Amino acid sequence: MFPVLAAGVGLGFSAHAQNFLPAPGEGVPAEASEASSEIPVPETDSAESIEAENLTEEPLEEVPLEEPVVTPVDPVPVVQQATSQENSSASVAQSGELLPGGSNGDFSREGWIFGIAANVGYDSNILQDEDDEESDFLLNFAPTVNFSSAPPGGAETIFEFSYSPIVRAYLENESQNAFDQLGGASLNYRGPIAQFSNILFLSQITQADRFADGRTQNRQISYVGKGEYQFSEKTSLAIGLGWGSFESDSFSLSDVDTTFASLTAYWAFTPLLRVGPSVRYAKTDSTNLGVTESTSFVLDMSYDATGLLDLSAFAGFESVDFSGIGGGESGPAFGIAADYQAPNRPWSLQAELTYQSVQQINGPTDRGGGNGEARVGASVSANYDLSEYTKLKLLARYGTFPSPDSVGLLINDFDVTLGLSHNFGSWILSGGVSYGLASYESVGPTSTTREDLTTGSLFLKHRTTAISDQLIWDNSVRLSTSAGDRDWNRVQLTSGLSIDF
């Protein structure tokens, strides 16, 4: 979906260190586009978009070590990236849709950027049906509009906006024609003693569901915000708020609303290290699994080594009420997140591990809604430059969410993607492999059992310019398969053009 804006309001993590990858089955596959410039987030990235995100590198902000510094709210990444479909999903294991390339613009500048993208394609199994495969040719058309009031870091207050309507038409299966849309807006302020960031996110994507038969249109609206005020050289107060809603046209059991809030008081022991108590509240209201409410009291720690290493951790206790499935309990809650990005090293790493009843939303694309016995949430994003032109990327994620078609079932989902890209100068070739394993957990009084689901895919993409440097030509192929609870195979081919002006 869109870029994950790591407000970190749920966990108290710094924005560079806490980005969950988007939940599977809810977005567009990442290989649909590699058009955007680099953004400092993993989850809305994909393994097959490596070539695009290595074209530019943001300078690190220098902070004098001798002065007491309260870690500021990290700048909101450029929301214009929202309409670049490469950021729409964490893994091609989910076998979503191949949409047009999105915007190719220079997002480091202020003002308006307009774009048009279109592609044609072939899909051998548009419904991902194991018994009655239905193939078809399709056309996707997606104009984009982007606006930024200032370049990143160019002003204390920056407003950004992005929107892309997507028209999708099939040659034979006209009933599958759809109008989709992606959009986002953010407002970010960084002052001498106060900072805040806010983002509103919209996604409406029609796709074949990985865990149920047929196609559905998934709609997601989310808000994530964080603010911080520095009372003195040593003390500051941080607040976080968020709300997210996920709905499916065909599978209402997937529907879930999530709200959360946090309040943290920090004491700066050193210019780099802050520690303080934090109180947090989170609630998920799932059509399938009912309501789960969590109140936690934790000790929060944040370490920021001046742009090289962001390390965050929390530990404490939480009280949970499972009103949907009955019962309540208290227990430990803890988590740790790290983000290492050295300018002169060939590798970078972002990782997170949490243990809590409600995996709170850290960014607008997080889906939420899991409340089973498995409280673990984890994500890893690693990049390695084999050379100046060859890039390797690994993405892995584990999370939980409600089953779309079985009452009382929770899906524990793990997916991993490994991608490689090489820049040949006038053209870029990227490819990779993905693997996903989903197990079903019975929650509450139900005793339903289902077989595990294994998915995988191979993908390859070629990108070059056509006629002029402004016109981008993309060609993609993906082979996907699923076994276990649902068996199907799928071949997808696309070729498309995109241009900005």
Side-chain angles (χ1 to χ4, degrees):
M1 292 184 175
F2 292 60
V4 178
L5 301 186
V9 296
L11 303 178
F13 292 163
S14 64
H16 290 302
Q18 50 168 330
N19 303 303
F20 282 127
L21 300 179
E26 65 183 51
V28 191
E31 74 269 28
S33 166
E34 296 93 22
S36 63
S37 59
E38 181 178 0
I39 52 177
V41 289
E43 355 72 43
T44 47
D45 290 10
S46 73
E48 57 276 49
S49 67
I50 303 169
E51 70 277 10
E53 52 181 29
N54 287 280
L55 298 180
T56 61
E57 183 173 297
E58 295 183 0
L60 297 175
E61 179 182 1
E62 297 184 359
V63 181
L65 297 181
E66 66 272 11
E67 299 180 7
V69 177
V70 172
T71 304
V73 175
D74 292 281
V76 176
V78 184
V79 297
Q80 288 122 330
Q81 310 285 344
T83 53
S84 190
Q85 282 79 26
E86 71 188 56
N87 302 310
S88 300
S89 151
S91 169
V92 293
Q94 64 188 322
S95 297
E97 308 303 303
L98 299 181
L99 294 186
S103 184
N104 306 308
D106 178 10
F107 297 116
S108 64
R109 75 170 192 250
E110 63 182 288
W112 296 91
I113 300 176
F114 300 93
I116 297 176
N119 69 9
V120 293
Y122 169 79
D123 194 327
S124 69
N125 192 356
I126 63 174
L127 302 178
Q128 291 182 172
D129 195 304
E130 59 183 296
D131 299 319
D132 184 21
E133 293 188 5
E134 213 167 317
S135 62
D136 206 344
F137 292 91
L138 64 150
L139 169 67
N140 296 307
F141 176 76
T144 62
V145 56
N146 306 285
F147 173 79
S148 179
S149 63
E156 283 191 344
T157 304
I158 299 178
F159 172 75
E160 297 174 336
F161 168 81
S162 179
Y163 180 71
S164 176
I166 307 169
V167 179
R168 310 175 63 188
Y170 287 85
L171 181 63
E172 299 291 341
N173 295 271
E174 295 183 0
S175 62
Q176 302 298 332
N177 294 350
F179 174 80
D180 294 336
Q181 51 188 336
L182 299 171
S186 73
L187 180 64
N188 184 60
Y189 170 78
R190 299 191 72 170
I193 62 173
Q195 308 89 27
F196 67 80
S197 62
N198 300 273
I199 180 170
L200 185 67
F201 159 84
L202 166 68
S203 170
Q204 178 176 295
I205 298 295
T206 304
Q207 64 179 35
D209 195 285
R210 179 160 66 114
F211 301 100
D213 294 329
R215 297 177 65 83
T216 183
Q217 186 174 76
N218 293 331
R219 290 181 300 276
Q220 186 171 1
I221 302 176
S222 299
Y223 164 79
V224 176
K226 181 181 180 181
E228 186 167 335
Y229 184 83
Q230 181 178 349
F231 290 96
S232 68
E233 293 182 349
K234 295 288 187 179
T235 58
S236 62
L237 187 67
I239 185 172
L241 300 170
W243 173 82
S245 177
F246 181 91
E247 295 183 353
S248 172
D249 270 355
S250 303
F251 308 108
S252 61
L253 291 178
S254 296
D255 296 355
V256 58
D257 294 332
T258 302
T259 57
F260 62 90
S262 68
L263 184 65
T264 306
Y266 284 112
W267 173 268
F269 282 89
T270 72
L272 305 181
L273 177 64
R274 302 188 304 162
V275 178
S278 178
V279 57
R280 299 154 182 198
Y281 171 80
K283 176 182 177 180
T284 61
D285 188 352
S286 166
T287 302
N288 191 337
L289 305 177
V291 178
T292 298
E293 290 186 271
S294 169
T295 303
S296 59
F297 301 90
V298 301
L299 185 66
D300 192 280
M301 182 275 289
S302 175
Y303 177 83
D304 183 5
T306 321
L308 296 178
L309 173 65
D310 290 339
L311 182 64
S312 303
F314 72 89
F317 293 90
E318 66 173 355
S319 175
V320 188
D321 178 21
F322 298 106
S323 59
I325 59 178
E329 60 186 31
S330 298
F334 57 85
I336 185 170
D339 182 355
Y340 176 79
Q341 296 188 22
N344 299 320
R345 297 293 181 88
W347 61 277
S348 63
L349 175 68
Q350 294 172 310
E352 179 173 6
L353 174 66
T354 60
Y355 181 87
Q356 53 192 358
S357 294
V358 178
Q359 296 298 334
Q360 300 168 6
I361 295 178
N362 292 316
T365 59
D366 292 334
R367 175 168 167 176
N371 57 2
E373 296 178 0
R375 300 180 175 183
V376 176
S379 66
V380 175
S381 176
N383 300 272
Y384 186 78
D385 296 344
L386 299 173
S387 70
E388 182 180 356
Y389 304 103
T390 305
K391 317 294 181 182
L392 182 68
K393 183 162 189 173
L394 172 71
L395 295 174
R397 179 192 179 276
Y398 175 82
T400 63
F401 49 90
S403 168
D405 60 355
S406 297
V407 177
L409 281 184
L410 184 77
I411 297 176
N412 301 299
D413 187 65
F414 168 78
D415 59 83
V416 59
T417 301
L418 180 65
L420 181 70
S421 73
H422 184 81
N423 189 334
F424 291 89
S426 61
W427 56 284
I428 297 172
L429 185 66
S430 60
V433 59
S434 66
Y435 170 80
L437 176 63
S439 62
Y440 292 85
E441 175 188 346
S442 182
V443 179
T446 64
S447 57
T448 306
T449 59
R450 290 176 63 171
E451 188 179 356
D452 292 350
L453 177 67
T454 302
T455 54
S457 66
L458 298 172
F459 51 87
L460 185 67
K461 180 164 186 177
H462 168 264
R463 157 165 288 205
T464 188
T465 56
I467 303 177
S468 72
D469 291 340
Q470 298 297 318
L471 188 62
I472 305 298
W473 182 27
D474 289 311
N475 300 281
S476 302
V477 57
R478 187 176 64 194
L479 311 177
S480 307
T481 186
S482 174
D485 184 68
R486 301 180 66 239
D487 297 319
W488 49 262
N489 297 297
R490 191 178 186 186
V491 177
Q492 293 167 281
L493 306 170
T494 62
S495 181
L497 297 172
S498 56
I499 188 171
D500 287 314
F501 50 90

